[in-house]
Amino acid sequence: MQDAFLEQTGKLDDQGRILVPGLTMGILGNQALPGSGGSLGRPAVEPAYAARLTQDFRASGILHLMAVSGGHFMILASLLVSIMRALRSPPLLMALVLSAAYLGLGMLMVPGDSVLRAQAMGLLSALALAACRPAQSLNSLSWCVLLVLILRPSMAASFGFALSCGAVLGIGLGNRRLTALLEDHLPAFLARPLATTLCAQAGTLPVQVLMSPGLPLLAPLANLLVTPVVEAATVTGLLALLTSWLWPPLGLLLARLTSLGTGVMAFAATWLGEAAAPAAWPSGPAGSVCLVGLGLMAVIDHRLVRLIRARGRDPLWPAVTAQDSGVPFRPSAWGSIKVWLQQTYGLLAQLVFKKRPG
């Protein structure tokens, strides 16, 4: 199935041949499959173009899109859970189906440490579902790390495993709050994936600094530009992988659709990657410690500001805390503009239709 999929992607343009396999399987088009002896077995890509495109993705902060992690498994799980809930399937059957789907999808992907982490967490979540327990991402991540490091201690030195775990940690700690904040200013279909991406990137920054010192300043803008097409391109890429061996014309059509999405990513990466280079940052463990320290300082500052605001309020109105049932109202930018337009129209209407005395 992998060979048939790569054969179809070899008929695309240069960016499609490089990025479509990367987004779908976690291997760029200029790389060889493991076990192939280093031979591509498909049209070669210009090395200079491939190197420049990879550098642009790294500089713009969206290189993580070319590595298979939990996103593929979450898309598959969401689809299967929706179907099986509509069929009123019992939890045990749903857990078995999810486990088989996780194992099958992991076999289709190129082996990697992030794929191992995603598979392990998926199987733990399926086990919790079979036991009728709610899945908790941070608890599942903790058990996953413990079990993987006990069974394979060498994973403690794996950057891929550390990046994958850091991304899940960032999402588990800040995704809900950041989503609520962004939904006040952006549509939900943009706010949710953007919040997930930004939280994942915040969790992986200390590890990225260990690998290459530098902070991609335009990463939020790059993620905002590619967010609308990432999930759709991932779905069409997986469908192309599943159908290329059975019906090559359909696989080629789906691969071309995926190439449209990766074309948007390539444009954003090239535009923003050349616009600003990553900001210099201390290398090694010192840089990682500085990033963690800045994150802790930001959290402490946020708490202090809330405490100062709460104490400065009228004592007759208690401070809003997590235990209160009320939810603070934050008008969106469009809501504020709409209210302003309505008020302006009302004032102008009063001036125009106001009766003159006498």
Side-chain angles (χ1 to χ4, degrees):
M1 294 176 71
Q2 291 176 346
D3 291 336
F5 173 69
L6 293 175
E7 181 181 354
Q8 300 306 317
T9 57
K11 302 175 183 178
L12 304 175
D13 57 358
D14 285 345
Q15 69 84 17
R17 277 186 284 170
I18 294 175
L19 300 181
V20 171
L23 182 68
T24 306
M25 293 169 42
I27 180 172
L28 298 179
N30 58 326
Q31 299 173 342
L33 281 172
S36 62
S39 61
L40 292 178
R42 54 190 185 274
V45 181
E46 181 65 31
Y49 175 76
R52 181 173 62 84
L53 191 60
T54 304
Q55 178 59 32
D56 290 341
F57 267 75
R58 181 179 290 107
S60 59
I62 55 175
L63 186 61
H64 60 276
L65 297 177
M66 296 300 109
V68 175
S69 187
H72 293 62
F73 293 84
M74 288 300 298
I75 291 174
L76 179 63
S78 301
L79 176 63
L80 292 177
V81 168
S82 300
I83 294 175
M84 300 198 70
R85 282 180 176 174
L87 298 175
R88 307 291 183 182
S89 300
L92 181 58
L93 177 60
M94 193 181 302
L96 293 175
V97 171
L98 285 177
S99 300
Y102 287 141
L103 294 173
L105 183 60
M107 293 173 61
L108 289 176
M109 300 297 103
V110 174
D113 299 337
S114 59
V115 175
L116 175 63
R117 195 277 314 159
Q119 264 190 320
M121 281 195 64
L123 294 175
L124 288 172
S125 299
L127 180 61
L129 179 62
C132 298
R133 297 290 300 274
Q136 300 176 358
S137 60
L138 295 182
N139 287 348
S140 300
L141 175 64
S142 302
W143 278 106
C144 170
V145 172
L146 286 173
L147 294 175
V148 169
L149 292 183
I150 289 173
L151 297 176
R152 293 181 60 182
S154 61
M155 296 294 289
S158 169
F159 277 113
F161 186 71
L163 287 170
S164 186
C165 293
V168 177
L169 179 63
I171 293 172
L173 292 177
N175 185 45
R176 184 176 300 177
R177 293 183 179 180
L178 185 57
T179 300
L181 179 62
L182 292 179
E183 283 182 344
D184 293 338
H185 307 284
L186 294 173
F189 76 93
L190 284 178
R192 293 172 184 173
L194 179 61
T196 302
T197 304
L198 292 178
C199 289
Q201 194 162 33
T204 58
L205 274 179
V207 184
Q208 290 182 16
V209 170
L210 285 174
M211 299 172 63
S212 58
L215 299 180
L217 299 179
L218 298 181
L221 179 58
N223 284 287
L224 179 62
L225 292 177
V226 303
T227 289
V229 300
V230 169
E231 290 190 3
T234 303
V235 171
T236 54
L238 290 175
L239 291 176
L241 175 61
L242 294 173
T243 57
S244 292
W245 66 279
L246 182 63
W247 192 2
L250 178 59
L252 178 59
L253 175 62
L254 292 170
R256 292 190 186 278
L257 292 177
T258 309
S259 180
L260 295 178
T262 56
V264 176
M265 302 176 200
F267 171 77
T270 302
W271 177 41
L272 297 177
E274 296 177 353
W281 193 261
S283 61
S288 301
V289 172
C290 290
L291 272 178
V292 174
L294 284 178
L296 293 176
M297 289 174 60
V299 173
I300 294 173
D301 289 343
H302 175 68
R303 296 294 182 182
L304 287 176
V305 169
R306 291 189 61 183
L307 180 62
I308 293 172
R309 288 180 178 178
R311 290 189 175 182
R313 292 174 180 165
D314 190 338
L316 297 177
W317 293 88
V320 177
T321 61
Q323 288 76 21
D324 293 336
S325 59
V327 177
F329 172 71
R330 300 186 184 95
S332 63
W334 168 243
S336 301
I337 294 173
K338 186 177 179 181
V339 171
W340 181 82
L341 290 175
Q342 291 175 347
Q343 292 177 350
T344 304
Y345 176 77
L347 291 173
L348 292 175
Q350 291 179 7
L351 292 175
V352 173
F353 296 106
K354 186 177 182 181
K355 294 183 179 180
R356 296 181 180 180

